[in-house]
Amino acid sequence: MAGYASAQSGVTLYGVADVMMSSGSGSLSNMTTMGSGGNMTSRYGFRGVEDIGGGLRVGFNLEAQVFMDSGTGQPSNTNNQPSGAGATTATAFSFARRSTVSVMDAWGEVRMGRDFTAHYRNRVEVDPFGNAGVGAAQPFAGSIGGVVSTRASKMIGYFLPSSATGLYGQVQYYSGGNPDGTETSKDGNGLTARVGYVMGGLNLSLASGRTTYATTATAGDIASTNLGVQYQLGNHKIMAGLYRDSLNKAVQMKADGWLLGGIFNVGPGDLKVALSEYGTDAAGSPNVKKLAIGYVHNLSKRTALYGTWARVSNSGGASTALNGAKTAANTSSSGFDIGVRHQF
């Protein structure tokens, strides 16, 4: 390993250690326990790059999630289908968050392996809480987008290079790895893309993705489209998002959501606020509204203390609860996280 590392122009070990006390309350039961990733998902990873000449570079990135309260890890999905969920052992050595190899030059990057889907990025990048902890935006926490709503395996993608025009984007294709000649041969195959534009403090991005499943599959084809808006105003950032997910074959269902929030610099820390909503057109039109407020106090450039409080209000038969609590349909639930986060 040392010999391999020395051949790289740069190899980095990086990560986040985040542990918290979490509590949730609902009309049926409450829960208080220790957890992980209340401010940022706990993880560790290795990344490196080699300049092979002629303007070409080859890089890799391996990233694993670690639950700090138990030392276990995140399982992966082998085929972008429900049958592949949890197929790998949930150990701290499962690089389920990312495992990619890239070839890069002035024309952009070709990336292969397991990675974020393009249509997920408008969920995480415009959420003040980064989809972490009790404050995670409801369009992420309640998504009907299935096993590829965040990441996909067996994926190849192209990323535009950095541009002085402010244009950026990516397109990715992923495969379920099934044999030809069967009804389910295309299950887990998908295409996702995102395009964005940065002008001054304004950042606009549009993304869409679709994953194929057989007509007899429980979920049916899944499509996701979303719009993200960010505006940087000095040390403050305003964020907003619009979301539409749909199931289009054996099951017909649509879900719509939105988010409005911001991160506001306050002395040595950041105040985070987000209001979000997500609901489907299933029987009764279940809907969940969420308010989240948090503060991150930076002790140094790498270490911070944080606290987050959130509350959800259910309607249309929804019964979403926070941090392991249980609540009856059409009632509310609240929860909070208090923790420490260290980046390395």
Side-chain angles (χ1 to χ4, degrees):
M1 291 182 64
Y4 176 77
S6 66
Q8 305 294 312
S9 57
V11 175
T12 302
L13 168 66
Y14 66 93
V16 176
D18 183 320
V19 67
M20 64 181 178
M21 292 301 299
S22 68
S23 180
S25 62
S27 64
L28 301 179
S29 67
N30 304 330
M31 185 172 182
T32 300
T33 187
M34 181 177 288
S36 177
N39 176 250
M40 296 178 67
T41 302
S42 296
R43 72 197 81 161
Y44 73 93
F46 305 91
R47 56 175 174 248
V49 62
E50 181 183 16
D51 188 339
I52 60 176
L56 285 176
R57 293 172 293 144
V58 176
F60 75 95
N61 196 310
L62 300 172
E63 186 172 291
Q65 182 168 339
V66 180
F67 295 98
M68 297 298 295
D69 55 315
S70 63
T72 56
Q74 176 190 33
S76 185
N77 184 296
T78 58
N79 58 14
N80 306 319
Q81 301 157 62
S83 62
T88 59
T89 305
T91 72
F93 297 100
S94 171
F95 295 104
R97 285 183 56 85
R98 180 173 173 180
S99 53
T100 62
V101 172
S102 298
V103 178
M104 300 160 281
D105 66 7
W107 297 98
E109 175 186 356
V110 175
R111 185 182 301 176
M112 296 162 284
R114 177 173 173 81
D115 197 7
F116 283 147
T117 54
H119 56 270
Y120 171 69
R121 294 183 182 273
N122 281 339
R123 283 191 169 99
V124 65
E125 292 182 11
V126 302
D127 181 358
F129 296 91
N131 291 168
V134 71
Q138 196 57 37
F140 165 74
S143 173
I144 64 170
V147 297
V148 295
S149 62
T150 301
R151 297 177 179 85
S153 300
K154 302 182 185 346
M155 183 158 58
I156 181 169
Y158 169 72
F159 293 73
L160 288 172
S162 299
S163 171
T165 66
L167 183 68
Y168 63 91
Q170 65 190 92
V171 59
Q172 297 164 301
Y173 172 79
Y174 45 93
S175 168
N178 297 307
D180 294 336
T182 66
E183 183 183 16
T184 60
S185 62
K186 295 184 179 180
D187 275 17
N189 293 4
L191 184 68
T192 180
R194 184 187 189 214
V195 62
Y197 181 69
V198 177
M199 180 178 61
L202 183 64
N203 186 339
L204 298 172
S205 53
L206 176 68
S208 186
R210 188 180 186 93
T211 308
T212 300
Y213 295 100
T215 303
T216 56
T218 302
D221 282 12
I222 298 175
S224 296
T225 300
N226 48 60
L227 172 70
V229 182
Q230 304 176 61
Y231 186 74
Q232 188 78 41
L233 183 63
N235 292 328
H236 313 304
K237 180 179 286 189
I238 306 298
M239 306 170 174
L242 294 173
Y243 308 93
R244 162 66 65 91
D245 300 314
S246 60
L247 309 181
N248 300 301
K249 278 195 174 178
V251 174
Q252 297 285 331
M253 183 186 297
K254 288 184 173 62
D256 292 295
W258 56 268
L259 174 145
L260 179 63
I263 302 175
F264 307 96
N265 181 249
V266 180
D270 293 310
L271 175 67
K272 300 183 177 184
V273 180
L275 183 63
S276 60
E277 182 177 3
Y278 191 77
T280 77
D281 62 356
S285 298
N287 188 81
V288 183
K289 292 184 176 69
K290 186 174 192 177
L291 171 65
I293 302 172
Y295 179 70
V296 181
H297 183 78
N298 296 309
L299 300 176
S300 69
K301 291 183 178 180
R302 296 188 297 174
T303 304
L305 303 176
Y306 64 87
T308 304
W309 172 88
R311 184 175 181 83
V312 292
S313 299
N314 295 290
S315 63
S319 57
T320 294
L322 299 174
N323 280 353
K326 294 183 179 180
T327 200
N330 303 321
T331 62
S332 298
S333 172
S334 60
F336 66 85
D337 299 333
I338 299 176
V340 59
R341 181 217 73 215
H342 177 73
Q343 295 175 261
F344 60 90

